[in-house]
């Protein structure tokens, strides 16, 4: 509360400074009103006592001037961002940047984005003071505090995946940005991940009945999307340089190494800021940023008679049964690698998979062979039935198995096979 009261006082002070016509005029006015401004006089002919009084008045004026200047600087910092950290260009001037769109406000209106013409408008929209906005956006190469909690989860293909989860307040900020800005940005029709009305099922359905399916993975997908690229997304969306910079900083963080130095924890930046895997804004930003990648890959796929979709960093190509002529698989894969590199991504060399109609074909975890449509693999359904059967007979769950995990798999099954999912859910509820 004290912080809020002090901030309010400083903001009121800055408004008074602006009304006075600037810092120097404000200080001069205050010195006059408070009786500290000394009329300059020649010292020749002054008595010793007069000279001492004159010097004392000048010192009192100088001390009051320094005090007022210090308060004016604090008031300026309370209403301006001033600096956002090492390597981040920032100017509080409202001069237009040459890289801004010609009429960015029109573009923002087309995308139905909130009107954010300057940092103060963004701070007010987020329910933050300027000082708090600076706190959440500030970049430090050597930080002793982070707005993220880092942990790892096992990858399906082996190894560990780093997750950077924002703290509660930053997550609220990112959710506002996601809801009010990112979700309203255009995405390509080939994208199926993290979008309303699209899912792993809609992604897999595109590739049903294929003679050949090719799956390609983009390496280090989120870390590849750097702060500069994210700022470009917001500028292209219709925001000017200042607001785009702040939005990009709020949505990114540098990969870091944790060190203990003299008993204190330090988080040292290992590279440029990028999209953290775990932030609510990251998937949506990649979707809009990958528009041109998706458009180019759709064109490449059509050229050789293939179909294409993308779910986050998973690219899927399929050759329909109606295709006539050679599959041109080598040309397709070469083109994918070239286009990905041109768009700032790298194809993972060890994660390209080719599956043909004679074996099981899976897309985003769902089987797509035959005419039945996308569905969960038989082994998974068999495991869930066995777990429910054992529970009904009073047997304990296997090691690592939990009721919530079983419920999650049932929801997964219900997405592709609603009737089966309902029956399994009813069985679980009965137990």
């Amino acid at each position: 509360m004290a912080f809020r009261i002090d901030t309010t006082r400083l903001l009121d002070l800055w408004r008074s400074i602006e009304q006075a016509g600037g810092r120097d005029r404000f200080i001069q006015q205050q010195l006059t009103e408070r009786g500290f401004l000394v009329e300059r006089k020649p010292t020749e002919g002054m008595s010793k006592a007069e000279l001492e009084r004159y010097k004392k008045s000048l010192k009192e004026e100088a001390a009051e001037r320094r005090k007022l200047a210090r308060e004016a600087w604090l008031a300026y910092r309370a209403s301006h961002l001033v600096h956002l950290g090492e390597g981040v260009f920032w100017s509080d001037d409202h001069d237009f940047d040459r890289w801004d769109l010609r009429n960015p406000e029109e573009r923002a209106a087309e995308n139905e984005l909130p009107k954010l013409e300057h940092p103060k408008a963004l701070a007010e929209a987020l329910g933050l003071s300027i000082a708090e906005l600076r706190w959440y956006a500030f970049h430090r190469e050597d930080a002793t505090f982070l707005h993220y909690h880092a942990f790892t989860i096992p990858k399906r293909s082996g190894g560990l995946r780093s997750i950077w989860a924002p703290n509660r307040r930053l997550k609220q900020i990112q959710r506002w940005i996601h809801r009010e800005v990112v979700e309203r940005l255009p995405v390509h029709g080939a994208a199926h991940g993290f979008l309303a009305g699209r899912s792993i099922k809609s992604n897999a359905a595109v590739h049903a009945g294929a003679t050949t399916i090719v799956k390609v993975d983009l390496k280090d997908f989120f870390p590849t999307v750097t702060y500069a690229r994210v700022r470009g997304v917001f500028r292209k969306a219709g925001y000017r340089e200042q607001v785009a910079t702040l939005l990009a900083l709020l949505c990114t963080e540098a990969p870091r190494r944790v060190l203990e130095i003299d008993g204190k924890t330090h988080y040292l930046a290992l590279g440029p800021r990028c999209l953290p895997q775990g932030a609510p804004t990251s998937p949506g930003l990649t979707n809009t940023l990958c528009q041109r990648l998706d458009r180019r890959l759709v064109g490449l796929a059509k050229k050789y008679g293939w179909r294409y979709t993308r779910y986050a960093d998973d690219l899927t190509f399929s050759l329909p049964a109606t295709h006539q002529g050679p599959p041109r698989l080598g040309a397709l894969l070469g083109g994918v690698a070239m286009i990905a590199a041109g768009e700032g991504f790298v194809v993972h060399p060890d994660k390209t998979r080719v599956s043909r109609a004679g074996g099981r074909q899976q897309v985003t975890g769902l089987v797509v062979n035959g005419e039945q449509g996308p569905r969960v693999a038989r082994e998974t359904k068999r495991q869930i039935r066995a777990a429910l059967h054992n529970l009904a007979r009073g047997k304990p769950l296997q090691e690592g198995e939990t009721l919530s995990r079983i419920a999650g798999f049932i929801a997964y099954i219900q997405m592709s096979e609603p009737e089966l999912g309902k029956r399994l859910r009813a069985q679980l509820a009965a137990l």
Side-chain angles (χ1 to χ4, degrees):
M1 180 63 72
F3 175 79
R4 283 288 187 182
I5 293 171
D6 188 59
T7 300
T8 301
R9 182 184 69 80
L10 291 173
L11 291 174
D12 289 340
L13 176 59
W14 181 252
R15 279 191 286 270
S16 298
I17 292 171
E18 288 184 316
Q19 290 170 1
R23 190 187 69 162
D24 293 339
R25 288 188 177 182
F26 173 80
I27 291 174
Q28 205 73 2
Q29 286 178 6
Q30 291 299 305
L31 289 172
T32 302
E33 290 176 10
R34 298 179 187 187
F36 283 96
L37 191 64
V38 179
E39 182 183 351
R40 269 48 178 179
K41 301 175 182 178
T43 56
E44 294 85 354
M46 284 186 181
S47 66
K48 186 176 180 180
E50 288 174 334
L51 185 59
E52 287 298 320
R53 286 195 298 271
Y54 183 63
K55 286 181 178 180
K56 183 181 178 183
S57 298
L58 290 175
K59 287 180 180 179
E60 290 174 348
E61 179 194 306
E64 188 68 14
R65 187 183 294 274
R66 286 194 298 271
K67 178 184 173 183
L68 288 166
R70 186 166 58 251
E71 290 182 351
W73 167 244
L74 292 174
Y76 182 86
R77 273 184 60 85
S79 54
H80 297 78
L81 290 159
V82 184
H83 180 54
L84 289 173
E86 185 177 347
V88 179
F89 172 77
W90 181 261
S91 171
D92 282 311
D93 294 334
H94 294 295
D95 294 338
F96 294 142
D97 187 89
R98 67 191 181 104
W99 298 112
D100 286 335
L101 297 176
R102 284 186 177 275
N103 296 295
E105 291 78 15
E106 292 182 11
R107 176 70 62 83
E110 289 173 7
N111 289 326
E112 299 183 346
L113 303 183
K115 192 175 181 180
L116 304 172
E117 294 183 345
H118 44 73
K120 185 180 178 182
L122 175 61
E124 290 174 350
L126 295 172
L128 301 173
S129 67
I130 288 294
E132 289 170 326
L133 180 59
R134 180 170 55 242
W135 166 244
Y136 285 108
F138 203 91
H139 173 72
R140 292 174 178 84
E141 290 291 308
D142 178 3
T144 55
F145 173 84
L146 284 185
H147 300 294
Y148 289 84
H149 168 61
F151 58 94
T152 58
I153 59 173
K155 291 182 179 180
R156 188 172 53 185
S157 57
L160 295 174
R161 187 186 306 280
S162 295
I163 303 296
W164 289 79
N167 64 24
R168 185 180 63 85
R169 186 66 183 99
L170 180 58
K171 183 179 285 188
Q172 291 174 343
I173 292 169
Q174 291 175 344
R175 282 176 172 165
W176 185 93
I177 296 171
H178 176 71
R179 182 180 65 253
E180 300 297 331
V181 179
V182 177
E183 275 193 336
R184 303 182 184 196
L185 300 180
V187 298
H188 196 278
H192 287 261
F194 314 102
L195 292 166
R198 304 185 202 179
S199 63
I200 59 173
K201 182 180 179 181
S202 67
N203 183 61
V206 174
H207 305 285
T211 58
T212 307
I213 289 178
V214 177
K215 292 186 285 186
V216 177
D217 183 83
L218 296 178
K219 188 177 180 181
D220 299 328
F221 187 54
F222 286 112
T224 303
V225 183
T226 60
Y227 155 76
R229 300 179 74 179
V230 176
R231 184 177 60 177
V233 168
F234 288 120
R235 296 186 78 164
K236 189 175 180 181
Y239 289 122
R240 295 192 182 274
E241 193 262 346
Q242 287 182 323
V243 171
T245 295
L246 288 166
L247 289 170
L249 288 169
L250 291 169
C251 294
T252 57
E253 180 53 273
R256 294 183 182 270
R257 182 181 180 184
V258 183
L259 291 177
E260 292 292 328
I261 303 175
D262 297 330
K264 194 169 187 178
T265 303
H266 289 254
Y267 304 91
L268 303 181
L270 299 177
R273 294 176 74 95
C274 56
L275 291 180
Q277 188 155 349
T281 42
S282 294
L285 283 168
T286 58
N287 276 338
T288 192
L289 186 137
C290 285
Q291 274 189 97
R292 194 169 69 174
L293 171 74
D294 292 334
R295 185 169 64 248
R296 293 180 68 185
L297 289 177
V298 164
L300 175 72
K302 285 183 177 179
K303 179 179 178 180
Y304 298 121
W306 292 70
R307 299 171 295 201
Y308 162 76
T309 61
R310 180 180 58 80
Y311 193 97
D313 57 349
D314 293 328
L315 316 180
T316 305
F317 300 85
S318 64
L319 195 64
T322 55
H323 176 74
Q324 301 293 323
R328 303 294 300 277
L329 180 57
L332 175 73
L333 291 176
V336 170
M338 183 183 69
I339 290 172
E343 295 299 323
F345 297 101
V346 177
V347 170
H348 200 299
D350 303 322
K351 291 192 176 180
T352 297
R353 299 286 183 268
V354 179
S355 56
R356 305 187 190 279
R360 176 183 288 177
Q361 295 175 321
Q362 285 184 280
V363 176
T364 44
L366 298 176
V367 178
V368 295
N369 296 75
E371 303 298 326
Q372 298 168 256
R375 57 204 180 277
V376 177
R378 278 192 301 246
E379 293 85 351
T380 302
K381 291 183 280 191
R382 193 178 298 123
Q383 289 172 4
I384 297 303
R385 287 192 179 103
L388 292 173
H389 178 71
N390 289 336
L391 282 171
R393 297 182 62 184
K395 292 183 178 181
L397 294 171
Q398 294 183 1
E399 185 178 354
E401 193 70 86
T402 63
L403 288 175
S404 59
R405 189 168 183 269
I406 292 172
F409 271 110
I410 291 174
Y412 178 50
I413 293 168
Q414 189 170 359
M415 177 188 60
S416 57
E417 299 178 68
E419 292 304 318
L420 174 59
K422 286 180 183 178
R423 291 198 301 271
L424 295 174
R425 188 183 290 277
Q427 291 179 39
L428 180 63
L431 295 172

